[in-house]
Amino acid sequence: MNNLICIPCLLTGGTEIQTLNLVQALVEGRHRVVTVCYFEHSSEMVERFKQAGSEVVLLNTKGKRIGGWKGVRFLYKGLRKVVRKEHPGVVHVQYMAPGAIPILLLRLLGVKQIIATTHTAADIYPNLRLVHFIQRHCVRAFICITKRAEQSFFGNSQLYDEQTALKKRNHFTIYNALPQHFANVSVPQRNYGQQITIGVVSRLEKIKGMDLVVPAFAQVIKKHPSVRLVVVGDGSLRAFMQQQAEALKCFEHIEWVGRQPQEALPNWYRRIDIVWMPSRSEGFGLTAIEAMACGCVMVASRIGGLPEVVPENEVGLLHEPESIENITLKTCSLIENPIFMRNLAGKAHDYVQRFSFKRYAELQNNLYSKISRQSL
């Protein structure tokens, strides 16, 4: 069966990595996959999708976003051309901005079997009426990536499994998957009585809470001067964060390594003891499961899907959103209790197996099989 995966951009974010997981899962299930990217793209990510077994169609080869009615016309013409050529059995739309417009256009083009996956919680949507309309009238399944996210959209939630019966319209949760190159990562033996390394692995943007990182770290090293910080990633806040570090006199304690290839991330996590995720919005938290697979202890914001992905006092700690003081408090409590930190790290590695790629692939292929057998 021909299947289209539609996504606004192919850059380097967590949504693209999860969409790559979807491609790999469907290819393993012997589906033919065509990925349609509307706007921005990087040659690196396009190549990764091709290597995973997907054909890639770039509607805008220049990789520029087109807004307004001109953008709607552009999307309609591009999607019409692909749909007429491929005659897809299922179209799986990644519900990012623009999210609803491609779905409405696909329905206008006669596509009936549409799946939408939203990669956030409802907090970034000012009005949920359009989301509810899309779920009730336009798609076969509206997938959320945590139960908390699904609850925020629809007021209730259920985990999808092989026994889930499909109705005409559905919404449920399928957890994101740990990328395959994290599946067999060896966990280093850490000596928590020696130097502790804190890390962030993130886009350096305000929505990820990156403006909170350096001030919190400066507070931590006042109590524990030997602690180091590793910043993996890049973004618009990098220069600002470096200015913060200079002003707070902690620059020499920080290693700035920039954006790293996905395959290199396990080695960076293995150097880190505590991973911070001070996000202001987080539908799931891919960094959290990657870090836990490598034996890191999480200190994450109590927001979005993170409390579901990082159960407090089981595999990590949660801090109050926006609170530099609470990040500092939770981190120092770990540093000062190495036995507790070791217990959390040991549990985290086992706990994260529930997000395995194998299970994710089984669920996605089961859903596609059910939808392909049912006609509207």
Side-chain angles (χ1 to χ4, degrees), residues 284-346:
F284 181 81
L286 176 62
T287 294
I289 62 172
E290 290 177 346
M292 289 188 287
C294 298
C296 302
V297 177
M298 294 301 306
V299 176
S301 178
R302 194 188 304 275
I303 200 155
L306 286 172
E308 186 174 340
V309 176
V310 186
E312 187 158 34
N313 292 317
E314 294 182 30
V315 295
L317 299 179
L318 301 174
H319 67 80
E320 297 308 312
E322 305 275 354
S323 176
I324 291 169
E325 292 75 16
N326 205 232
I327 297 171
T328 303
L329 177 66
K330 294 298 178 79
T331 302
C332 288
S333 72
L334 290 172
I335 296 171
E336 293 158 10
N337 193 341
I339 294 175
F340 179 51
M341 186 155 55
R342 188 178 301 281
N343 288 338
L344 292 179

Side-chain angles (χ1 to χ4, degrees), residues 87-283:
H87 302 287
V90 175
V91 178
H92 197 144
V93 176
Q94 308 307 300
Y95 201 95
M96 305 159 61
I101 292 173
I103 293 173
L104 295 172
L105 294 178
L106 288 164
R107 290 291 290 160
L108 185 63
L109 291 167
V111 178
K112 295 182 178 180
Q113 306 287 41
I114 301 174
I115 303 171
T117 293
T118 181
H119 295 267
T120 69
D123 55 357
I124 70 167
Y125 292 91
N127 190 327
L128 292 180
R129 285 182 294 179
L130 180 57
V131 174
H132 294 162
F133 176 85
I134 291 294
Q135 186 271 316
R136 291 169 182 163
H137 303 289
C138 299
V139 301
R140 290 301 315 278
F142 196 101
I143 301 174
C144 297
I145 52 180
T146 63
K147 293 176 67 178
R148 287 174 66 97
E150 187 183 0
Q151 185 81 24
S152 73
F153 278 106
F154 303 111
N156 56 73
S157 64
Q158 65 167 333
L159 282 176
Y160 180 84
D161 62 23
E162 290 83 352
Q163 283 69 52
T164 302
L166 289 191
K167 298 175 287 188
K168 183 177 181 180
R169 308 294 178 198
N170 308 268
H171 65 77
F172 35 70
T173 294
I174 296 178
Y175 286 132
N176 280 345
L178 191 66
Q180 291 194 72
H181 55 278
F182 282 87
N184 298 307
V185 173
S186 60
V187 177
Q189 291 294 321
R190 292 180 166 91
N191 188 344
Y192 296 119
Q194 297 180 355
Q195 185 183 80
I196 296 295
T197 299
I198 298 168
V200 293
V201 182
S202 175
R203 290 184 290 117
L204 305 186
E205 304 293 345
K206 190 169 183 180
I207 196 170
K208 297 297 186 180
M210 290 297 106
D211 53 314
L212 309 174
V213 168
V214 173
F217 177 67
Q219 293 295 317
V220 170
I221 61 173
K222 285 181 180 178
K223 293 185 176 182
H224 303 281
S226 66
V227 173
R228 307 288 297 178
L229 174 65
V230 175
V231 179
V232 182
D234 210 342
S236 65
L237 289 187
R238 177 168 178 159
F240 173 75
M241 293 172 68
Q242 290 175 333
Q243 291 167 6
Q244 287 180 312
E246 292 280 10
L248 293 168
K249 297 181 173 24
C250 58
F251 193 92
E252 66 275 13
H253 296 266
I254 304 174
E255 184 177 358
W256 309 84
V257 302
R259 188 172 68 86
Q260 297 294 308
Q262 274 291 313
E263 288 75 15
L265 291 182
N267 289 332
W268 285 104
Y269 284 118
R270 286 164 55 84
R271 289 185 51 188
I272 297 168
D273 302 299
I274 300 170
V275 171
W276 282 354
M277 284 192 73
S279 303
R280 292 183 168 91
S281 177
E282 202 73 61

